[in-house]
């Protein structure tokens, strides 16, 4: 019985001290200041990342885009191919801007423009396909949904332009 009283008192004191420390840290300006600093860092990183992507796009795709095909049907790769090797030997990643075409050489940069809304994306040919009659190009999931009007679409009409260096 004598041992239980000091343990219970110790638990009560520990919980009170812990609660007081927790309350001070929650309502002090330091905690809020740390959160706003973290948000600022995240926002800065996002804006820097976007700037790098934009400047990288300008540098990487210098040259003229020559019209290749109008009113071509484009679809996107199924998710089951994510992580598998493509015909070029690279691993397919659905979050990259890549595509498959039957005849264009690997590494070719192609601007794909949705004819319905005018949105476009530049992709790199890394695979062969599509092997469905009537389809001209298979886009990665990210590339497809970048230019698609809605997420319920499975294929769209596009204009293809090949980068001439």
């Amino acid at each position: 019985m004598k041992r239980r009283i000091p343990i219970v008192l110790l638990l009560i004191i520990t919980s009170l001290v812990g609660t007081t420390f927790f309350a001070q840290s929650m309502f002090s300006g330091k905690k809020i200041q740390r959160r706003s600093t973290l948000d600022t860092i995240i926002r800065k990183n996002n804006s820097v990342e976007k700037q790098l992507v934009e400047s990288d796009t300008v540098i990487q795709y210098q040259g003229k885009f020559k019209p290749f095909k109008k009113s071509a049907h484009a679809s996107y790769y199924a998710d089951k191919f994510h992580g598998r090797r493509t015909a070029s030997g690279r691993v397919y990643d659905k979050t990259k801007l890549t595509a498959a075409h039957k005849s264009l050489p690997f590494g070719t940069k192609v601007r794909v423009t949705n004819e319905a809304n005018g949105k476009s994306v530049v992709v790199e040919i890394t695979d062969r396909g599509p092997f469905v009659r009537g389809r001209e190009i298979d886009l990665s999931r990210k590339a497809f949904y970048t230019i698609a009007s809605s997420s319920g679409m499975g294929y769209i009409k596009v204009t293809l332009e090949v980068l001439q260096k």
Side-chain angles (χ1 to χ4, degrees):
M1 185 104 163
K2 289 182 181 179
R3 286 186 176 178
R4 288 184 183 175
I5 293 174
I7 292 174
V8 171
L9 284 175
L10 183 63
L11 289 173
I12 292 171
I13 291 171
T14 307
S15 65
L16 288 175
V17 170
T19 306
T20 306
F21 179 74
F22 178 73
Q24 284 177 352
S25 65
M26 285 300 292
F27 296 111
S28 71
K30 292 179 183 177
K31 191 72 170 183
I32 295 169
Q33 190 175 21
R34 285 183 192 156
R35 285 184 181 172
S36 64
T37 305
L38 182 61
D39 290 341
T40 305
I41 290 170
I42 290 170
R43 285 188 202 122
K44 284 182 182 177
N45 284 345
N46 285 342
S47 64
V48 167
E49 188 175 322
K50 287 178 185 174
Q51 289 174 357
L52 288 175
V53 170
E54 290 172 2
S55 64
D56 186 37
T57 305
V58 171
I59 293 168
Q60 193 172 3
Y61 305 123
Q62 286 182 345
K64 286 191 171 186
F65 284 92
K66 183 178 177 183
F68 182 74
K69 187 164 187 178
K70 278 191 157 197
S71 297
H73 284 215
S75 58
Y76 69 91
Y77 277 98
D79 289 339
K80 70 179 183 179
F81 295 114
H82 182 71
R84 294 187 185 180
R85 290 223 176 262
T86 61
S88 66
R90 292 173 57 184
V91 176
Y92 169 66
D93 186 359
K94 65 182 180 182
T95 62
K96 303 286 184 189
L97 297 175
T98 60
H101 193 272
K102 293 176 187 171
S103 60
L104 289 172
F106 295 132
T108 303
K109 305 286 189 221
V110 179
R111 181 172 21 188
V112 183
T113 306
N114 186 346
E115 293 180 355
N117 60 15
K119 292 182 180 179
S120 65
V121 66
V122 177
V123 296
E124 182 180 357
I125 303 298
T126 59
D127 201 4
R128 293 290 171 230
F131 301 109
V132 176
R133 183 177 292 169
R135 304 270 169 91
E136 184 71 26
I137 191 167
D138 257 344
L139 300 172
S140 65
R141 188 173 182 87
K142 181 178 180 180
F144 185 84
Y145 284 116
T146 300
I147 63 172
S149 298
S150 67
S151 61
M153 304 175 81
Y155 69 92
I156 53 179
K157 279 192 173 186
V158 296
T159 301
L160 302 177
E161 299 170 294
V162 178
L163 179 67
Q164 300 292 315
K165 293 184 180 181

